[in-house]
Amino acid sequence: MRSITTAWFYAIIYILKDATMNIAIPLADKKGLESSISTVFARCPFYMLINPETKIFTIEENPAQNASGGAGIKASQWMIDKKVAAVICGNLGPKAHDVLSAAKMPTFKFQGGSIEETLTAYNEKKLESFFESNVDAHAGIQK
């Protein structure tokens, strides 16, 4: 339980550092709040940056989607540069996990469902934290 509390502590720190509290959710398509959440973090086509309370969001193309290598590092650095408060995703590779952990950015496991259900679970602190990566490196590469 200590680690879950630690993740929420870091989420609060990120929120206080920047007035715009956006969380990042990887998307498979670009259909607003009806978008499908991608299970792939570093090579998803889009990210939704959304304030979980106001539901004001933007959808941006993933700059790491077609990277020849280092997609996890590039996507994670992009999250840091965007000052994202937390990341919610289905799968998180080891390099992405290492970068986000070093930045003390909270990462939470997507439990399935819609964006609305995911935001509700986040706001109610019901999402489980990533303690380590849950897939091998290069797991998101489409063959």
Side-chain angles (χ1 to χ4, degrees):
M1 280 303 219
R2 183 189 64 77
S3 294
I4 292 172
T5 304
T6 302
W8 285 106
F9 171 77
Y10 286 124
I12 291 167
I13 289 173
Y14 262 81
I15 291 164
L16 295 175
K17 283 171 59 175
D18 193 342
T20 57
M21 184 192 96
N22 287 326
I23 59 171
I25 302 173
L27 302 177
D29 51 46
K30 191 176 180 179
K31 299 179 183 174
L33 290 173
E34 303 301 317
S35 298
S36 300
I37 299 176
S38 175
T39 58
V40 178
F41 169 71
R43 294 192 183 273
C44 67
F46 305 101
Y47 290 110
M48 177 178 278
L49 303 178
I50 186 166
N51 181 307
E53 294 175 7
T54 66
K55 296 187 178 70
I56 295 172
F57 67 90
T58 61
I59 296 177
E60 299 190 30
E61 285 191 35
N62 176 2
Q65 178 185 11
N66 297 313
S68 60
I73 295 169
K74 187 173 183 177
S76 298
Q77 187 59 54
W78 188 81
M79 297 290 161
I80 294 165
D81 294 345
K82 289 286 185 177
K83 298 182 180 170
V84 171
V87 173
I88 301 172
C89 58
N91 293 312
L92 191 62
K95 293 177 185 176
H97 181 269
D98 290 348
V99 172
L100 295 172
S101 292
K104 298 191 180 351
M105 184 178 294
T107 53
F108 300 97
K109 293 180 184 177
F110 167 61
Q111 306 294 321
S114 67
I115 290 173
E116 191 71 38
E117 291 166 332
T118 299
L119 292 175
T120 298
Y122 176 82
N123 286 332
E124 293 175 358
K125 297 177 177 53
K126 292 183 177 178
L127 294 178
E128 185 180 342
S129 296
F130 274 103
F131 300 114
E132 59 187 23
S133 64
N134 66 334
V135 292
D136 293 331
H138 309 288
I141 295 176
Q142 301 294 320
K143 300 196 185 207

